[in-house]
Amino acid sequence: EFVQRYDEFLVQFGSDPNVRKLHLWYAASLLRLRRYEEAKAIALTRIVSAAKLNDNEELIRHYLLLAKCFFNTDEKHRIKACFEIAMDYGRKSSDRYLLAKVFLDYSAYQVYLQAYDKALNFLETAWKTVQNSDNNTLKIDILLGIGDVHYRNNNYKKALSNDTKAYELSLITGDKEQQIHLLDRLATLYDLTNKGDAATAMLDKALELCKDVPSKYFKIIYNYGTHNLRLDKAAEALKCFMEAEKATLKLGQLPVRFYCELYSNMAGCYWLMQNPNLTREYLDKALEIVARMDSPDLLIQTKLNQAHFLTLMGDYELSKQNIEEAIEHYTAQQNSSLLIKANQALISLHEKSGDFVAALNASKQNEKNYQLLIADLRAEMSSESESKMGSLNNRYESGSLGFQCMGKPAKTKTGCIFIGDSASSRKVLESALLAAQHPNANVFIYGESGTGKDVLANIIHYNSIRRDSPFVPINVSALSAGVLESELFGHVRGAFTGAINSTKGFLHKSHKGTLFLDEITEMPSELQSKLLRVVETHLFTPVGSSEEIPYDSRIISSTNRNINDAISTNAFRLDLFHRLNTIEIYIPPLRERREDIEELLMHYTEQYAEQNNLSIPRITDAFVRDLQHYSFPGNVRELKNLVERLFILCGYECWTDADLINLNVINHTRISDVKGWGNPEVERIIHALEQSRGKQKDAAKVLKISESTLCRRIAKFNLEAYTLRHRES
């Protein structure tokens, strides 16, 4: 209505000194109506006019509005310039509130870019600008922004603190609509910190206030439903969702996304209540609504959500159809992040339907998607800060930085280095350096024994901003359940017999740094439950104490077992795996990256010679060639030990292929001796034997065949080198 009557208002107030506000409101209204080109044209016209009058305030407001127009069009590359110009004018202006508003809006854009550290810096600067003022409305907005960044960083305690301050200020302003919004946010944060009673109290307060602001009732009762769903109260949650649906009828049409989420959650309730028919009905309802809208992205997102339930219900054909449509859509968009999500749904579908070959192929495709994502992130980083990176590279060359560039081997303070120039090794190292750039993301590393999982964990830590804080490794398999809990969480004096003094646990010691849980799959199930809660809340309780202590550590976990088998046999919790598996890195065995063997050989040869003040031996081509054909069941660790044996038993003048025969290396199975190498059946048998540490009885169970059948196939394919009997001999 305002846009329609704009010309009328312009005639009426044209001579008013504050007519410029009318132009701003008109442009802002066009923006709200998604008429971005018209809003952009108004903003540009007013910027030209304001520049002639040196009107800093109008320049700032229209540049901020212009940035929002660019955000909603294909001109996102122009957003940064708008904010920087607005910031310059803000500093020239005497209006500190306006400058704080620039910082606040710029921080929102940084959040969109997931540059949370930058966003927090802008927000803290905005807070310092207004903290001693009486502009409580702006202070609330800034506190909400700070809380949002902490929420996105999974730092729920800090988010709770800032949102609580904002709520206290809203009580002063008397804005009940704002109070409802804040109580809603506080309820979510209490839920995430496992304080269900406090969350319920917040939602009850919000519902009470909704009597004065009925337009907010539908949202609060809807969020009450999601709260009950988190508590596994499906029936109570369903009642809330139905009430929310009923309340929306009084308000008219709401955004389609709300109804999609509403019906999807209702489908989730019916699934938990074991009613697959109504689950399907509400999934179809959500899809029917979004299909009527011109929103391809939302349609694909809804179909992908539907596919999750269809897979659980066993409707693999329709689920696959939805997933493949999503993959095609995200491929066309070149959206690597969402492509990974869609492909992960396809992997789950194939695993659920028992088509493990297809699951493996989908996993390989997802590896390529991860490579594309890494390339995109690196491209964004270089285009955004090319000059800065040039300076950093110069400092790197002079050795003044504690991190390495992608093209150079990544090292740590402990001297660990990941050696290898094969495509798979480069992928592993790039994944590690990507993980290092995200210091709050948990990492899960898996690979056979001896592949270098501990080396990679060191690299991630010492190439991240946490490198100046402790790196605390713990071998989970080496400790019993009782000892492990005490070592992990610490204990207070008198907690158990022999607890003479209070002791800090590894979590406490790794504060601000990294905790490395090696062989995580060996953790007892009762301790897994406790660790899950700790990871979710970022709070731990020492043994014998009732006090919850916050921690800020990245957790890197590793295992040499097949994690999917461990989960399927209930040896490892799926929900804990999802919490620890934000970034997943697989280190292939040495037999799958034979081109790295020569480089590794030279590295350990030079290292041992330097440490022991010995000459570097001459190594014949035949020696290297034979070594590259050896299967290396012990991986890199075995190669390192072999180099030491060669120095001790064969001297340091010249190493030949005869030395390998004398050390009984050549007599072990070579890769080339394995009949049918590359055959999927052979690879499955090798994988099962490695997973079972050479025990044929356990490997037969993994393969779901008899032990006698497995023995015949081991003999048929010359796989004796992978059996426990051979390793012991």
Side-chain angles (χ1 to χ4, degrees):
E1 184 184 355
F2 174 78
V3 169
Q4 290 172 351
R5 297 182 61 189
Y6 171 67
D7 291 334
E8 176 191 332
F9 292 138
L10 199 58
V11 172
Q12 184 177 351
F13 301 105
S15 58
D16 192 299
N18 291 317
V19 70
R20 61 182 185 173
K21 292 184 178 177
L22 200 65
H23 301 309
L24 180 67
W25 294 337
Y26 180 53
S29 298
L30 291 170
L31 183 69
R32 290 289 296 273
L33 293 171
R34 300 183 181 181
R35 291 160 62 175
Y36 303 124
E37 291 301 323
E38 294 174 73
K40 185 171 70 173
I42 294 289
L44 288 169
T45 301
R46 299 312 307 166
I47 285 171
V48 172
S49 174
K52 293 177 181 177
L53 299 172
N54 290 322
D55 188 338
N56 288 342
E57 180 182 346
E58 189 169 8
L59 283 165
I60 292 167
R61 293 191 185 280
H62 281 286
Y63 267 115
L64 292 179
L65 191 141
L66 192 60
K68 292 176 183 176
C69 291
F70 290 146
F71 181 80
N72 289 285
T73 63
D74 58 357
E75 298 179 277
K76 289 185 174 63
H77 61 282
R78 302 179 68 180
I79 295 173
K80 184 179 178 182
C82 289
F83 280 122
E84 290 181 347
I85 293 169
M87 203 177 299
D88 285 340
Y89 283 120
R91 293 192 178 102
K92 295 174 185 176
S93 169
S94 58
D95 191 336
R96 57 177 172 166
Y97 301 134
L98 200 53
L99 180 58
K101 181 72 169 64
V102 176
F103 287 131
L104 180 62
D105 283 9
Y106 203 179
S107 73
Y109 176 59
Q110 296 299 331
V111 167
Y112 164 75
L113 296 176
Q114 297 185 356
Y116 299 132
D117 288 342
K118 286 184 180 179
L120 203 54
N121 286 336
F122 283 125
L123 287 163
E124 287 172 349
T125 304
W127 179 252
K128 289 175 184 175
T129 306
V130 300
Q131 65 178 338
N132 295 322
S133 73
D134 56 358
N135 191 335
N136 289 327
T137 301
L138 183 56
K139 287 160 78 171
I140 289 171
D141 288 340
I142 294 169
L143 287 168
L144 284 172
I146 295 172
D148 185 50
V149 173
H150 287 311
Y151 169 82
R152 290 168 185 271
N153 276 328
N154 298 324
N155 196 334
Y156 303 131
K157 187 174 181 181
K158 286 186 177 179
L160 197 57
S161 173
N162 282 280
D163 279 20
T164 301
K165 290 176 185 175
Y167 175 66
E168 290 168 354
L169 287 174
S170 73
L171 294 175
I172 297 172
T173 63
D175 187 339
K176 290 187 178 180
E177 192 169 328
Q178 183 77 276
Q179 289 168 25
I180 292 170
H181 174 62
L182 283 159
L183 287 166
D184 187 22
R185 283 174 58 119
L186 287 169
T188 300
L189 290 167
Y190 279 126
D191 264 335
L192 291 169
T193 51
N194 291 332
K195 296 179 180 177
D197 291 342
T200 302
M202 295 296 106
L203 289 168
D204 286 340
K205 279 186 182 180
L207 282 175
E208 187 66 27
L209 287 172
C210 284
K211 293 176 181 178
D212 298 321
V213 192
S215 62
K216 295 295 177 183
Y217 174 73
F218 82 94
K219 185 178 180 184
I220 298 303
I221 198 67
Y222 169 78
N223 287 340
Y224 220 132
T226 60
H227 165 66
N228 283 327
L229 205 52
R230 286 191 185 101
L231 299 175
D232 292 331
K233 297 178 179 179
E236 290 90 335
L238 186 60
K239 287 179 184 177
C240 292
F241 292 140
M242 288 179 168
E243 181 66 22
E245 183 183 25
K246 181 181 175 183
T248 59
L249 297 176
K250 301 176 183 178
L251 299 173
Q253 185 65 31
L254 290 174
V256 172
R257 185 177 291 273
F258 170 77
Y259 289 104
C260 287
E261 292 177 357
L262 175 67
Y263 293 139
S264 294
N265 276 326
M266 291 174 78
C269 290
Y270 283 121
W271 177 254
L272 291 173
M273 295 165 70
Q274 299 182 347
N275 191 329
N277 292 331
L278 284 174
T279 299
R280 185 66 174 268
E281 180 182 328
Y282 275 89
L283 287 173
D284 291 341
K285 224 173 178 181
L287 194 59
E288 182 185 344
I289 286 176
V290 75
R292 296 199 301 263
M293 304 297 295
D294 184 20
S295 179
D297 288 340
L298 188 56
L299 178 62
I300 291 298
Q301 182 182 337
T302 306
K303 283 190 172 185
L304 198 56
N305 182 56
Q306 185 190 53
H308 167 72
F309 286 102
L310 291 171
T311 298
L312 292 174
M313 288 187 282
D315 191 343
Y316 303 130
E317 186 176 348
L318 184 55
S319 177
K320 186 179 180 183
Q321 181 181 322
N322 284 0
I323 294 168
E324 287 178 343
E325 192 175 336
I327 289 173
E328 183 180 351
H329 179 77
Y330 295 135
T331 300
Q333 286 188 336
Q334 296 184 331
N335 190 327
S336 303
S337 180
L338 291 177
L339 193 56
I340 289 169
K341 182 180 178 182
N343 224 60
Q344 192 59 51
L346 186 62
I347 294 168
S348 299
L349 166 68
H350 289 316
E351 288 178 344
K352 183 76 175 173
S353 63
D355 190 347
F356 297 111
V357 174
L360 179 62
N361 291 333
S363 297
K364 290 178 179 177
Q365 180 58 48
N366 234 14
E367 290 179 8
K368 296 177 182 178
N369 295 335
Y370 273 110
Q371 285 295 99
L372 291 172
L373 180 60
I374 291 168
D376 290 344
L377 291 171
R378 291 174 65 187
E380 286 174 16
M381 180 180 70
S382 59
S383 63
E384 194 175 289
S385 51
E386 187 175 343
S387 60
K388 184 177 179 183
M389 283 304 296
S391 171
L392 291 176
N393 283 337
N394 291 335
R395 289 170 62 196
Y396 166 74
E397 296 294 347
S398 64
S400 61
L401 281 179
F403 65 90
Q404 277 66 37
C405 303
M406 285 287 191
K408 297 180 180 291
K411 298 180 181 179
T412 73
K413 291 181 180 178
T414 59
C416 293
I417 182 170
F418 193 85
I419 302 295
D421 197 42
S422 63
S424 56
S425 293
R426 286 198 301 272
K427 178 189 170 185
V428 168
L429 185 55
E430 286 181 352
S431 298
L433 293 176
L434 174 65
Q437 293 173 27
H438 296 78
N440 295 316
N442 292 329
V443 182
F444 200 98
I445 306 170
Y446 64 104
E448 295 177 4
S449 294
T451 49
K453 298 184 289 294
D454 56 337
V455 171
L456 209 63
N458 269 273
I459 287 171
I460 293 169
H461 173 75
Y462 286 108
N463 285 274
S464 76
I465 61 173
R466 293 182 180 271
R467 58 182 166 271
D468 293 325
S469 298
F471 175 83
V472 181
I474 176 172
N475 189 329
V476 174
S477 62
L479 301 171
S480 64
V483 174
L484 181 58
E485 182 177 3
S486 174
E487 290 292 331
L488 193 56
F489 305 133
H491 62 262
V492 297
R493 181 181 179 184
F496 49 82
T497 304
I500 302 172
N501 298 309
S502 296
T503 301
K504 291 181 179 179
F506 288 121
L507 263 174
H508 204 144
K509 292 175 182 177
S510 66
H511 186 58
K512 298 294 183 183
T514 300
L515 178 67
F516 176 45
L517 298 175
D518 195 16
E519 303 303 337
I520 182 73
T521 47
E522 305 304 314
M523 181 176 284
S525 57
E526 62 269 23
L527 196 52
Q528 290 179 31
S529 303
K530 295 180 180 179
L531 181 61
L532 172 64
R533 185 178 181 280
V534 167
V535 175
E536 287 179 335
T537 63
H538 281 261
L539 299 168
F540 68 92
T541 305
V543 177
S545 173
S546 59
E547 179 189 1
E548 289 188 321
I549 300 174
Y551 79 97
D552 175 19
S553 305
R554 181 218 289 271
I555 296 179
I556 301 178
S557 310
S558 76
T559 183
N560 61 8
R561 291 179 61 184
N562 184 316
I563 187 63
N564 292 324
D565 288 347
I567 291 170
S568 63
T569 58
N570 295 321
F572 197 75
R573 292 180 63 117
L574 178 61
D575 46 4
L576 177 57
F577 174 67
H578 287 319
R579 284 291 185 180
L580 297 175
N581 189 41
T582 307
I583 297 176
E584 181 178 284
I585 303 175
Y586 168 64
I587 306 179
L590 193 52
R591 64 179 175 273
E592 292 179 10
R593 46 190 181 102
R594 285 175 285 166
E595 54 267 54
D596 291 339
I597 290 175
E598 184 174 1
E599 188 177 354
L600 283 161
L601 171 67
M602 297 310 301
H603 169 74
Y604 287 120
T605 300
E606 291 169 3
Q607 184 185 72
Y608 190 90
E610 182 180 352
Q611 289 173 350
N612 295 276
N613 197 26
L614 299 171
S615 300
I616 297 174
R618 184 172 63 85
I619 300 174
T620 66
D621 292 341
F623 177 95
V624 174
R625 185 176 58 252
D626 278 356
L627 206 59
Q628 287 175 330
H629 286 89
Y630 175 53
S631 59
F632 280 106
N635 293 294
V636 179
R637 184 183 293 124
E638 183 180 0
L639 175 57
K640 182 181 179 182
N641 291 338
L642 174 62
V643 168
E644 293 183 12
R645 289 170 61 203
L646 284 161
F647 268 104
I648 294 168
L649 300 176
C650 302
Y652 47 85
E653 291 185 3
C654 179
W655 293 346
T656 68
D657 52 343
D659 293 319
L660 293 176
I661 295 173
N662 293 334
L663 291 178
N664 202 30
V665 174
I666 282 299
N667 294 336
H668 289 194
T669 302
R670 304 178 181 191
I671 288 178
S672 57
D673 291 335
V674 175
K675 296 177 183 177
W677 184 260
N679 181 332
E681 183 182 7
V682 172
E683 293 182 6
R684 281 198 300 272
I685 294 172
I686 291 173
H687 185 72
L689 286 167
E690 290 290 351
Q691 181 187 334
S692 306
R693 302 186 183 185
K695 296 178 181 177
Q696 291 168 225
K697 184 177 180 180
D698 293 344
K701 289 180 181 177
V702 172
L703 294 165
K704 297 180 181 178
I705 59 177
S706 67
E707 188 175 356
S708 58
T709 300
L710 176 60
C711 289
R712 287 195 298 273
R713 291 180 184 177
I714 288 171
K716 175 183 176 182
F717 296 117
N718 289 346
L719 299 176
E720 288 82 4
Y722 296 91
T723 64
L724 179 63
R725 184 180 303 170
H726 179 86
R727 291 181 182 183
E728 288 175 344
S729 65

